[in-house]
Amino acid sequence: MTRTVVESKTKTAIIGFDQPFCVIGERINPTGRKILSEELEKGDFSRVEADAIAQVMAGANVLDVNSGAVFSNKMAEDPRYADNNFVEPTLMKELVEKVQAVVDVPLCIDSSVPGALENGLAAAEGRPLLNSVTGEEERLEMVLPLVKKYNVPVVAISNDDTGISEDPDVRFAVAKKIVERAADFGIPAHDIVVDPLVMPIGAMSTAGLQVFTLVRRLREELGVNTTCGASNISFGLPNRHGINNAFLPMAMAAGMTSAIMNPVALPVNQKKIDAKMAELAEAGIIVPDGIDLEVFANLVGLGSTKPKAGKEMEAIHAANFLTDNDPNGSTWINFNKVAPKAGEAEAGARGRRAGGGRRRRG
């Protein structure tokens, strides 16, 4: 069985055909997150730390750390900040150190900048996953020596100098090329995790069928593990969680062994709570003053005011159980345990201190 081993200082995550599905948390990524980029530009890593903790609590086995920030204000002061080759190496080292200080799961070092990859690998404790190499000649010659030097596994993305092909046979050929070139560097197939590239189902109706077929071929013909950007499948569609929840177990059944995804259901914000309260007030429904906002959010179907595992995680845990990668369903059972409310816990504790259950009648 192919097994890709990823390690932190204290923990090991194994990506493999006979292993539970590996969730690689994607939230530590400033690309497209303007607020996060602005915070990082100011040296504020509090959101990064919170995102790291929330993802691990939601069930992420590995955390992706991406350094692709844009420092707009600093660009005006110093033109070097317009160059990612200047910004990312230093930022990546800082990100890795901050994340490792608050969680102990393995990391996935993610950048297109060579210096950032090397700085991330040097700062990471254990054996991180490197994200990523493509079939482009320049990228192969730059990344594969790093993979060999640090003895780490790598994500291989199935595009090359011609771009991303819509033909799944072409994407398979690119993956095969990367595996063969890696072998020339002494890098074994079990240290390559192929991303076959998931296309949006809204733009290509065969996208789901394509990736399932590709994953089977990659497993059976190349013997490699696989991953993907899970949310790509639902891009541009309504109820994206519904599509994602169906896609992930189907991909797992086809042989996919990991995904780069958001494991957290993001908390409902105060603005949405206020809007719902105003809507109820307009309908003549009285909301008690001082109501617990978590209770209110759950009652009216807004979700939770706290980060928690998302529905995608529920689908993954169920699929692990159904594919016999959750022995006796223990993980599924623990995932679905409802924590007692504070009042109930206190009442139970008082009952135990008072002598426990009822006495039998004589």
Side-chain angles (χ1 to χ4, degrees):
M1 284 290 183
T2 298
R3 292 183 175 182
T4 305
V5 178
V6 191
E7 296 173 324
S8 67
K9 187 175 181 179
T10 60
K11 288 191 175 178
T12 298
I14 300 176
I15 305 172
F17 305 151
D18 60 343
Q19 299 293 309
F21 194 73
C22 182
V23 175
I24 303 170
E26 69 179 7
R27 292 283 296 162
I28 303 171
N29 185 346
T31 306
R33 296 182 68 187
K34 185 179 178 182
I35 293 175
L36 178 57
S37 276
E38 290 172 350
E39 290 173 348
L40 293 176
E41 186 171 9
K42 297 172 185 174
D44 179 1
F45 292 85
S46 58
R47 192 180 301 269
V48 167
E49 293 166 340
D51 280 344
I53 293 168
Q55 289 182 101
V56 172
M57 290 184 67
N61 309 107
V62 176
L63 292 185
D64 189 87
V65 179
N66 184 298
S67 55
V70 176
F71 290 171
S72 302
N73 294 324
K74 287 187 175 181
M75 283 182 200
E77 303 166 7
D78 186 338
R80 291 180 299 173
Y81 281 95
D83 183 3
N84 276 48
N85 289 287
F86 176 74
V87 174
E88 290 198 40
T90 300
L91 179 59
M92 178 63 84
K93 181 177 183 293
E94 292 175 318
L95 286 169
V96 168
E97 291 172 347
K98 294 292 185 183
V99 172
Q100 287 179 155
V102 294
V103 296
D104 60 353
V105 298
L107 302 184
C108 177
I109 309 301
D110 186 356
S111 177
S112 61
V113 174
L117 292 178
E118 181 133 30
N119 274 13
L121 289 171
E125 298 170 334
R127 189 174 196 251
L129 179 63
L130 191 66
N131 191 9
S132 58
V133 66
T134 66
E136 297 165 287
E137 287 301 321
E138 183 179 353
R139 191 75 178 173
L140 287 165
E141 292 298 324
M142 182 269 289
V143 175
L144 292 181
L146 280 178
V147 174
K148 180 63 176 177
K149 176 182 176 181
Y150 287 92
N151 185 28
V152 294
V154 63
V155 174
I157 302 178
S158 299
N159 68 280
D160 59 12
D161 302 270
T162 63
I164 301 173
S165 174
E166 293 188 359
D167 185 341
D169 290 332
V170 172
R171 300 208 299 279
F172 177 84
V174 173
K176 185 178 180 182
K177 170 188 173 181
I178 297 172
V179 171
E180 290 172 346
R181 289 291 294 278
D184 293 339
F185 283 84
I187 301 164
H190 65 249
D191 273 342
I192 299 171
V193 182
V194 173
D195 181 347
L197 291 171
V198 175
M199 306 293 188
I201 192 74
M204 181 188 296
S205 61
T206 59
L209 292 173
Q210 275 194 13
V211 77
F212 303 148
T213 301
L214 259 173
V215 166
R216 289 190 189 97
R217 287 192 69 191
L218 289 165
R219 174 174 176 164
E220 293 168 5
E221 297 181 36
L222 299 184
V224 293
N225 282 306
T226 45
T227 195
C228 70
S231 63
N232 289 355
I233 192 71
S234 61
F235 182 79
L237 293 174
N239 188 14
R240 296 186 66 183
H241 293 296
I243 298 291
N244 297 344
N245 294 348
F247 168 75
L248 282 163
M250 294 175 76
M252 291 167 68
M256 187 168 283
T257 47
S258 69
I260 300 170
M261 55 177 279
N262 178 15
V264 182
L266 298 181
V268 61
N269 59 38
Q270 187 64 46
K271 185 176 179 181
K272 287 186 178 179
I273 291 174
D274 291 342
K276 192 65 177 180
M277 285 186 169
E279 179 187 325
L280 293 174
E282 190 174 336
I285 299 171
I286 299 173
V287 177
D289 291 337
I291 188 172
D292 184 281
L293 294 183
E294 176 68 9
V295 171
F296 175 78
N298 278 278
L299 282 173
V300 298
L302 289 177
S304 174
T305 59
K306 305 167 187 175
K308 61 179 185 178
K311 284 292 183 181
E312 285 87 346
M313 293 302 296
E314 182 177 81
I316 287 168
H317 286 306
N320 279 333
F321 192 8
L322 291 166
T323 54
D324 198 27
N325 281 319
D326 177 10
N328 304 314
S330 57
T331 302
W332 174 254
I333 291 167
N334 287 331
F335 179 77
N336 285 282
K337 280 183 179 176
V338 178
K341 295 177 183 176
E344 293 172 353
E346 291 166 8
R350 286 195 299 271
R352 287 190 294 275
R353 286 195 297 269
R358 300 173 181 171
R359 288 184 293 176
R360 292 184 181 178
R361 293 175 181 256

